[in-house]
Amino acid sequence: MSKLNSYNPATGEFIGDVPVTPEKAVTEIVRKAHEAQHSWGDLPVEERIDVLKKAASELQKESQKIALLLSKEMGKDIRRSYGEVAGCAGSVEYVANQVKDAIKPISCYGGQSVIEYNPLGVCAIIYPWNYPVSMAHWMLIPALTAGNAVILKPSEETPLVALAYVNVMNRVLPENLLQIVFGDEKQGKMLVKSDVDFIGFTGSMSAGRDIMSQAGRNLKPVIMELGGKDPCIVLEDADIDSAARFAVSNSIENAGQMCISTERVFVDYRIADKFIDKLKEYLMYFKVGSYTDPQANVGPIINEKQRNNILRHIDDAISKGAQVAGGSMDHPENFINPLILTGITDDMLVAKEETFGPLVCVTTFENIEDAIASANGTDYGLGGVVFGGYDAEYVASKLDVGMAGINTGAGGGGDTPWVGDKMSGVGYHGSPDGHRQFTQVKVINRA
Ligand code: NAD
């Protein structure tokens, strides 16, 4: 049986391995999941929530240990890893109760007809490495609360943290209700073709296209949470300090490896000099380094392929006239230093493709309509942010995005969906409508 090796992205050091799941085993895993789902789906939702609350408390107990492994395997600093794991554990009860409310039967037509929200059966959740606990967890909790079994297919970059997470949850969950398939794209494809009832995918646009076309053959429902090219538009009357603070931190967070990362900044030319000075000031707060360095808050890039892609974007921008206005081009091995690049134009790769690196890419504009047109000029439409006063609402209304932020980040509070427009997503999770994506709607009509 072949192994999937895991490496520390800051050093390249081997940290462990897991067995790759063979094709035959995938069929058996799915069969067992269906079996486990029957009794789980028959439980009243309140009992399912009680079990999930116990699993959350186990996760909370282990959150420091899992966070350490997360940092070692994925690279982000301990504070961020701990926030991710403990945040997931802490949200279970709230989310599960929102799901319970969303899937309550609805009585229609004076009670003669009822809409039920029943479990789908077995949900496959295929996800990336950049938030290796929350990307599983955000779909797992609604899926389980709604009465489904779940099979996780974590990224090949972060199998160990996935295993640790599943083992802790499985201290409490019934046998085979939550299982895991290890491997890369090949195992992902096997799972998509298997007898699962739903596919929840978070990852790149290209993989999303492939998965959706495969799922379409068997008419399987999907949720697709894909990449982004988020703009941040800074208007003349913006609070320059808070706009610059946001632009830097949201471009560099998680070393830029975040779907909702700010990938382009458009600033009104009348305030551009002051704004860029502020960007430089805030850039000083960021330091690359391994999680073992307590001063570091920008981790390594996940792998060489992704690092080379960021370097290609930087080289392309500079060759087409961009200037390095802040940061050092002397990138340490396995890392990319945060950079401020100015003079970005629409023909550059950083303006078109998802960079997924710690770059603050700045363009100045004279006319708001031009900034909006450039911001919308990509296939992506996940999030977008505007800083400003008088025209800010107007700009937000014109951005082709699933989530728009006005003088703050994109992504709503409370039980709002996580949703992309255009090729950044299909369907969504979160919110009553999102929770119902994990159910089969059934109408009962009585005489
Ligand atoms: P990826 O698409 O390469 O891989 C994601 C997962 O899909 C992995 O588990 C991988 O093994 C599997 N996979 C890849 N190709 C597949 C296929 N054809 N069939 C089945 N499974 C397949 O993405 P990645 O590099 O791991 O993650 C980065 C991407 O994820 C970025 O584009 C980022 O924007 C996106 N992302 C989106 C969100 C969101 O909520 N919208 C959140 C996080 C990351």
Side-chain angles (χ1 to χ4, degrees):
M1 187 184 283
S2 64
K3 300 267 187 194
L4 183 57
N5 292 337
S6 178
Y7 301 93
N8 176 337
T11 60
E13 148 211 27
F14 171 78
I15 52 176
D17 57 30
V18 294
V20 171
T21 310
E23 186 159 11
K24 270 195 191 141
V26 174
T27 314
E28 185 54 12
I29 285 171
V30 177
R31 191 194 63 73
K32 284 187 199 156
H34 279 290
E35 236 173 59
Q37 188 275 326
H38 292 137
S39 31
W40 177 252
D42 284 346
L43 290 177
V45 64
E46 291 77 10
E47 283 183 35
R48 295 198 292 259
I49 292 177
D50 283 344
V51 175
L52 291 174
K53 275 161 54 184
K54 286 183 192 134
S57 129
E58 292 300 311
L59 186 61
Q60 194 67 265
K61 273 191 235 160
E62 299 296 337
S63 47
Q64 271 176 350
K65 240 195 239 167
I66 296 180
L68 186 62
L69 181 60
L70 198 167
S71 288
K72 202 170 184 181
E73 192 174 42
M74 184 271 152
K76 70 181 71 170
D77 58 77
I78 298 273
R79 192 171 60 85
R80 286 176 164 78
S81 293
Y82 181 74
E84 181 174 340
V85 183
C88 283
S91 67
V92 168
E93 187 172 354
Y94 173 81
V95 174
N97 280 315
Q98 298 293 334
V99 176
K100 182 180 89 175
D101 290 345
I103 65 174
K104 266 188 194 137
I106 297 174
S107 170
C108 306
Y109 204 53
Q112 186 184 325
S113 301
V114 175
I115 307 170
E116 290 182 356
Y117 297 96
N118 295 321
L120 283 163
V122 177
C123 297
I125 297 177
I126 304 176
Y127 63 100
W129 45 266
N130 59 341
Y131 289 87
V133 171
S134 49
M135 291 299 100
H137 192 84
W138 284 7
M139 290 210 207
L140 179 80
I141 297 305
L144 290 179
T145 309
N148 302 288
V150 169
I151 301 170
L152 296 180
K153 204 317 255 157
S155 166
E156 53 276 33
E157 302 288 352
T158 48
L160 300 181
V161 71
L163 182 60
Y165 168 73
V166 164
N167 282 345
V168 168
M169 298 294 281
N170 277 344
R171 287 180 189 166
V172 173
L173 296 177
E175 198 181 2
N176 296 327
L177 188 71
L178 170 61
Q179 297 177 84
I180 190 161
V181 164
F182 287 117
D184 57 16
E185 164 180 346
K186 195 165 158 223
Q187 280 65 33
K189 287 181 180 181
M190 287 175 195
L191 195 55
V192 170
K193 283 192 195 140
S194 74
D195 185 28
V196 295
D197 301 289
F198 165 95
I199 298 149
F201 175 70
T202 307
S204 61
M205 188 202 282
S206 59
R209 272 204 185 102
D210 181 48
I211 292 173
M212 209 165 150
S213 65
Q214 293 300 330
R217 288 170 191 267
N218 297 314
L219 299 177
K220 286 197 183 140
V222 295
I223 292 178
M224 297 271 136
E225 298 286 5
L226 309 177
K229 190 80 205 156
D230 286 18
C232 169
I233 298 183
V234 184
L235 304 176
E236 188 193 0
D237 57 355
D239 174 339
I240 293 178
D241 186 70
S242 55
R245 193 170 57 225
F246 174 85
V248 169
S249 60
N250 208 56
S251 299
I252 295 173
E253 179 60 31
N254 213 30
Q257 305 169 118
M258 182 168 76
C259 55
I260 202 165
S261 181
T262 296
E263 292 243 332
R264 280 197 81 178
V265 181
F266 300 90
V267 58
D268 188 299
Y269 78 103
R270 284 163 288 213
I271 57 164
D273 289 347
K274 269 194 196 157
F275 178 73
I276 292 166
D277 283 347
K278 275 282 169 197
L279 292 180
K280 290 182 200 167
E281 207 179 300
Y282 281 115
L283 194 73
M284 309 303 280
Y285 289 94
F286 292 89
K287 177 177 183 287
V288 295
S290 159
Y291 73 95
T292 50
D293 172 356
Q295 305 302 321
N297 53 9
V298 184
I301 302 303
I302 191 70
N303 57 35
E304 201 184 341
K305 185 171 165 225
Q306 178 51 26
R307 185 172 179 273
N308 286 338
N309 193 49
I310 301 167
L311 291 173
R312 186 172 67 94
H313 280 207
I314 297 170
D315 290 347
D316 171 80
I318 291 173
S319 75
K320 290 175 179 155
Q323 295 92 46
V324 180
S328 160
M329 285 286 283
D330 190 11
H331 303 288
E333 196 181 355
N334 303 323
F335 294 83
I336 297 281
N337 289 323
L339 294 179
I340 299 169
L341 297 177
T342 53
I344 300 301
T345 49
D346 289 351
D347 59 328
M348 296 175 183
L349 293 175
V350 287
K352 291 192 284 206
E353 296 177 6
E354 188 180 38
T355 305
F356 233 50
L359 311 183
V360 190
C361 293
V362 185
T363 305
T364 55
F365 68 85
E366 288 182 28
N367 181 320
I368 291 176
E369 297 304 332
D370 292 342
I372 294 171
S374 282
N376 285 338
T378 77
D379 289 337
Y380 294 105
L382 191 57
V385 163
V386 54
F387 277 83
Y390 187 72
D391 287 320
E393 292 282 342
Y394 168 75
V395 172
S397 76
K398 291 291 171 194
L399 289 178
D400 296 336
V401 297
M403 296 174 283
I406 301 175
N407 296 315
T408 186
D415 197 21
T416 51
W418 188 262
V419 53
D421 192 351
K422 299 197 283 190
M423 292 203 192
S424 284
V426 175
Y428 51 86
H429 56 87
S431 79
D433 287 341
H435 301 320
R436 291 179 190 133
Q437 308 295 301
F438 296 90
T439 67
Q440 172 60 54
V441 177
K442 184 170 184 179
V443 176
I444 305 281
N445 195 31
R446 296 189 174 84

